């Protein structure tokens, strides 16, 4: 087993890189694009208390694992740019990108409920912020670019496995319409690193609207640097909410927006069955985007106390806990802002969380069920539904696709009527009664529901087969196939499915028994 990992699949991929870069046109086009990236680097202006300036460590023969053309568009790069050796050199850190000013950010945070004063980018580097042609700003960050002064003795690298997991996770959440960081590419590097066993290393090229976390504020607060808490706050307002720069209560509005976005994000996670797995305050961005994918997972059969994180023995970050943890984390952010805003103001604001979350979540569930009348009967229907899902261990994702078809002919692969018993029958009756109140046809309801309930999600067995191929055979085709499939998880796309050899029904099936409830270790 270990021998297979140690027998590097490298050489096959050197061949690929050579093949991809074989034409002169390709090389010059991509190099021009890399050089044309319009770096702005606002964060560096905050000064050295906020980061360590450091260039990425060089790597040997970087090779491309996967490149997301849809993420590339965000920084005005073309799909073919990923195949270029110039891209690999620039984004693995081997050649500097003109205009980039790489730095490792300082932050701390609460991990599993306890404060950890020593965090920071131990292996990540913010290359800078890029302004695209639409004048949107995107952080470019390399995860796994070598140890920084925050590395605490760790190697500064990321495993190929965790990089592929983050790549697929973030592109999948984007496909679901959930705010998230993006993954431009995974670049493999010729280096063996050691986790529980030897592992291949890689660099993830991450794009994000921000890398500022709740923990960034906590760092300055707990080190008594109140001036820097304020400078960071002003920085966030100026760069992310310029519309409120002139407001006298801009700090309060900033907090309100962070709270709202966090509540909305978690409502969306709950609705789609996404479990982040490590909701530490250093993994929560101030713009409410899904951030730092580790041992995340999607709900298979409905088990509310499920956590995909193997280390989370008490289920702190389980599915059923996420909304409450969001609240807890916002309280930690609030504590860091007390000296600037006062306890009373912040208390008033944090109290808005629960009603806001409930409102967002209710709206999300209404859309999932194709219902717009969200009254007490709706509430009762939803409560009964969750009881049913739990009692009969139904597949969370496929249940909603079944409902959209109901009362038409259910797809045999995902027909919960085989296992849901009489109670499901009685629930379906109530559901149809509420659906009738809406005054829309079944066809219309199905259309609406199929736009919000995915047919395809990133199930454990699907990730596992992509990882097995990648790690054992150096075959990245399944990573690509999953990324393509999940960029639009709501629809079958026959032409694209044919091109990428995607078997529509295979990817939509319930998770096989052996993969149910699977957990991943933080270090994997
Ligand atoms: P994460 O679990 O990725 O959110 O990381 C938690 C903290 O550990 C952050 O400060 C990371 O920068 C740091 N860290 C994780 N893995 C490594 C590594 N291999 N080398 C250096 N720092 C790391
Ligand atoms: Mg983190």
């Amino acid at each position: 087993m270990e021998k297979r990992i140690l027998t590097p699949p490298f050489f096959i991929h050197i061949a690929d890189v050579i093949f991809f870069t074989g034409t002169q046109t390709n090389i010059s086009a991509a190099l021009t694009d890399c050089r044309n990236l319009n770096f702005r680097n606002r964060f560096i202006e905050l000064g050295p208390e906020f980061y360590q300036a450091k260039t990425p460590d060089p790597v040997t023969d970087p090779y491309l694992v996967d490149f997301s053309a849809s993420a590339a568009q965000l920084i005005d790069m073309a799909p073919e740019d990923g195949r270029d050796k110039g891209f690999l050199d620039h984004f693995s850190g081997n050649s500097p990108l003109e205009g980039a000013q790489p730095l490792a950010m300082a932050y701390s945070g609460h991990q599993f409920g306890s404060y950890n004063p020593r965090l920071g980018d131990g292996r990540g580097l913010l290359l800078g912020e890029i302004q695209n042609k639409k004048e949107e700003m995107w952080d470019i960050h390399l995860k796994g670019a070598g140890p920084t002064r925050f590395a605490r003795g760790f190697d500064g690298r990321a495993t190929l496995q965790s990089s592929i997991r983050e790549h697929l996770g973030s592109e999948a959440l984007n496909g679901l319409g959930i705010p998230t960081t993006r993954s431009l590419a995974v670049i493999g590097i010729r280096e063996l690193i050691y986790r529980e066993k030897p592992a291949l290393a890689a660099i993830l090229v991450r794009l994000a609207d921000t890398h500022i976390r709740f923990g960034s504020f906590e760092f300055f607060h707990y080190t008594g640097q109140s001036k820097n808490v304020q400078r960071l706050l002003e920085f966030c307002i100026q760069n992310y909410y310029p519309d409120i720069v002139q407001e006298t209560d801009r700090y309060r509005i900033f907090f309100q927006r962070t709270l709202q976005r966090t509540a909305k994000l978690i409502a969306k996670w709950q609705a789609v069955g996404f479990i982040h797995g490590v909701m530490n305050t250093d993994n929560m961005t101030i713009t409410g985007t899904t951030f730092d994918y580790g041992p995340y997972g999607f709900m298979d059969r409905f088990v509310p106390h499920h956590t995909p994180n193997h280390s989370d023995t008490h289920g702190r970050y389980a599915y059923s806990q996420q909304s409450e943890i969001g609240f807890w984390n916002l309280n930690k952010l609030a504590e860091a802002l007390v000296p600037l805003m006062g306890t009373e103001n912040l208390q008033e604001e944090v109290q808005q969380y629960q009603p806001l979350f409930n409102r967002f979540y209710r709206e999300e569930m209404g859309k999932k069920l194709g219902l717009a009348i969200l009254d007490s009967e709706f509430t009762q229907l939803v409560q009964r539904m969750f009881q049913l899902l739990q009692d009969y261990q139904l597949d969370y994702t496929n249940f909603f696709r079944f409902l959209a078809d109901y009362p038409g002919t259910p797809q045999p692969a995902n027909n919960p009527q085989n296992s849901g018993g009489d109670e499901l029958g009685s629930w379906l009756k109530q559901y149809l009664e509420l659906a009738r109140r809406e005054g829309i046809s079944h066809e219309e309801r199905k259309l609406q529901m199929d736009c919000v309930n995915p047919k395809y999600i990133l199930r454990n067995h699907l990730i596992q087969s992509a990882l097995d191929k990648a790690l054992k055979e150096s075959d990245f085709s399944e990573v690509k196939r999953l990324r393509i499939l999940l960029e639009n998880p709501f629809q079958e796309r026959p032409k694209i499915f044919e091109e990428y050899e995607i078997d529509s029904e295979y990817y939509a099936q319930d998770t096989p028994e052996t993969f149910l409830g699977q957990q991943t270790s933080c270090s994997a």
Side-chain angles (χ1 to χ4, degrees):
M1 177 73 183
E2 279 185 11
K3 198 147 185 255
R4 242 189 288 183
I5 293 171
L6 283 162
T7 312
F10 301 156
F11 303 105
I12 306 165
H13 285 278
I14 289 177
D16 269 6
V17 170
I18 292 167
F19 172 75
F20 282 139
T21 56
T23 66
Q24 191 57 44
T25 353
N26 222 351
I27 290 173
S28 58
L31 286 178
T32 312
D33 279 343
C34 285
R35 286 192 188 141
N36 282 348
L37 292 174
N38 181 17
F39 277 98
R40 289 270 310 279
N41 306 337
R42 301 172 298 186
F43 193 82
I44 206 155
E45 289 158 19
L46 281 166
E49 304 98 301
F50 288 78
Y51 53 81
Q52 175 201 11
K54 183 189 178 284
T55 49
D57 286 355
V59 298
T60 317
D61 296 330
Y63 60 96
L64 187 69
V65 173
D66 195 37
F67 178 86
S68 165
S70 106
Q73 278 180 352
L74 300 171
I75 51 167
D76 303 327
M77 284 181 79
E80 59 276 14
D81 289 339
R83 297 189 201 139
D84 193 278
K85 184 148 186 333
F87 171 81
L88 290 174
D89 278 342
H90 286 297
F91 286 86
S92 64
N94 276 352
S95 341
L97 268 167
E98 207 176 302
Q101 292 177 288
L103 57 89
M105 291 163 88
Y107 58 84
S108 60
H110 280 81
Q111 298 184 307
F112 288 91
S114 307
Y115 184 64
N116 185 344
R118 294 179 68 221
L119 288 169
D121 282 332
R123 56 176 166 173
L125 290 175
L126 178 69
L127 294 186
E129 300 141 87
I130 287 185
Q131 186 167 31
N132 68 17
K133 287 186 185 129
K134 290 191 224 153
E135 306 212 335
E136 295 160 346
M137 298 290 286
W138 287 96
D139 282 9
I140 297 200
H141 174 103
L142 301 185
K143 189 165 178 176
T148 72
R149 81 160 187 243
F150 306 109
R152 296 174 283 152
F154 297 118
D155 57 13
R157 293 294 183 202
T159 61
L160 176 58
Q161 171 165 328
S162 68
S163 306
I164 291 175
R165 282 180 54 86
E166 174 151 359
H167 179 67
L168 289 177
S170 47
E171 292 308 282
L173 252 67
N174 180 63
L176 288 162
I178 298 178
T180 176
T181 56
R182 301 293 304 273
S183 174
L184 178 64
V186 175
I187 297 175
I189 60 176
R190 322 276 173 200
E191 209 174 284
L192 272 183
I193 53 176
Y194 295 86
R195 294 297 181 260
E196 277 140 24
K197 53 189 179 185
L200 294 169
I203 292 174
L204 179 90
V205 186
R206 180 158 78 183
L207 305 182
D209 59 349
T210 187
H211 277 79
I212 298 177
R213 312 136 191 262
F214 290 11
S216 311
F217 284 94
E218 291 178 279
F219 172 73
F220 292 110
H221 174 65
Y222 288 106
T223 49
Q225 302 181 60
S226 51
K227 269 252 149 59
N228 283 335
V229 177
Q230 188 167 16
R231 289 187 57 218
L232 190 60
L233 188 50
E234 291 287 2
F235 176 89
C236 290
I237 292 168
Q238 194 171 355
N239 293 302
Y240 307 126
Y241 303 119
D243 59 309
I244 59 167
V245 167
Q246 302 297 336
E247 304 291 334
T248 45
D249 59 350
R250 59 188 178 282
Y251 295 171
R252 193 167 175 150
I253 305 174
F254 165 83
F255 188 80
Q256 277 167 2
R257 288 186 181 180
T258 304
L259 181 142
Q260 275 194 17
R261 286 175 171 215
T262 305
K264 194 167 223 160
L265 176 72
I266 300 174
K268 284 181 184 288
W269 287 354
Q270 294 304 107
V272 82
F274 175 78
I275 315 155
H276 182 284
V278 206
M279 290 176 68
N280 294 332
T281 56
D282 57 306
N283 292 338
M284 307 282 296
T285 71
I286 49 103
T287 51
T289 44
T290 314
F291 187 71
D292 249 11
Y293 290 74
Y296 67 86
F298 283 84
M299 189 62 84
D300 299 298
R301 293 186 189 168
F302 190 73
V303 180
H305 59 264
H306 175 59
T307 170
N309 183 344
H310 183 67
S311 328
D312 186 9
T313 38
H314 298 291
R316 178 180 172 86
Y317 298 139
Y319 174 79
S320 53
Q321 300 302 305
Q322 294 193 122
S323 68
E324 215 172 305
I325 290 292
F327 178 70
W328 194 91
N329 288 344
L330 281 158
N331 272 280
K332 293 295 152 200
L333 174 64
E335 282 169 26
L337 299 177
V338 162
L340 287 175
M341 293 173 60
T343 313
E344 242 173 64
N345 285 337
L346 282 158
Q347 263 168 359
E348 267 174 39
E349 293 306 331
V350 293
Q351 277 162 17
Q352 302 305 312
Y353 178 83
Q354 202 182 351
L356 256 180
F357 174 82
N358 287 344
R359 197 186 93 207
F360 292 142
Y361 184 56
R362 204 178 174 75
E363 287 166 6
E364 292 290 333
M365 291 316 295
K367 283 189 263 169
K368 282 183 84 65
L369 289 164
L371 303 174
I373 304 170
L374 310 182
D375 57 4
S376 58
E377 284 185 72
F378 168 81
T379 308
Q380 201 219 356
L381 182 88
V382 174
Q383 280 167 349
R384 273 185 80 196
M385 178 190 79
F386 279 120
Q387 197 59 54
L388 262 176
L389 286 170
Q390 192 177 348
D391 291 349
Y392 292 94
Q393 289 289 285
L394 303 179
D395 184 87
Y396 184 69
T397 304
N398 284 337
F399 178 74
F400 293 97
R401 294 295 286 205
F402 156 78
L403 265 194
D405 287 331
Y406 191 77
T409 323
Q411 307 270 332
N414 61 8
N415 182 2
Q417 280 170 306
N418 301 331
S419 47
D422 290 347
E423 278 178 66
L424 177 64
S426 127
W427 184 88
L428 286 169
K429 212 166 142 235
Q430 189 192 359
Y431 173 63
L432 280 191
E433 276 163 24
L434 296 205
R436 265 185 223 113
R437 296 190 312 181
E438 302 281 329
I440 56 168
S441 66
H442 283 157
E443 292 70 27
E444 217 172 318
R445 174 169 60 84
K446 175 175 165 55
L447 265 179
Q448 287 177 10
M449 288 172 74
D450 284 353
C451 292
V452 291
N453 296 311
K455 175 162 181 165
Y456 309 105
I457 54 157
L458 195 49
R459 294 173 184 274
N460 288 328
H461 66 293
L462 300 178
I463 307 188
Q464 197 54 52
S465 89
L467 286 175
D468 283 347
K469 283 200 168 113
L471 302 179
K472 295 178 187 164
E473 296 164 34
S474 195
D475 172 353
F476 306 124
S477 59
E478 194 60 21
V479 174
K480 182 177 192 168
R481 200 169 285 123
L482 281 179
R483 171 177 53 77
I484 298 281
L485 172 75
L486 297 169
E487 70 187 12
N488 180 347
F490 302 107
Q491 275 179 348
E492 287 174 41
R493 293 172 293 159
K495 259 190 153 165
I496 291 179
F497 284 16
E498 200 185 319
E499 186 185 341
Y500 292 96
E501 298 175 355
I502 293 171
D503 172 349
S504 134
E505 290 316 310
Y506 165 74
Y507 288 97
Q509 274 164 20
D510 289 7
T511 305
E513 297 251 351
T514 43
F515 285 90
L516 290 173
Q518 206 190 37
Q519 294 182 315
T520 307
S521 133
C522 273
S523 63

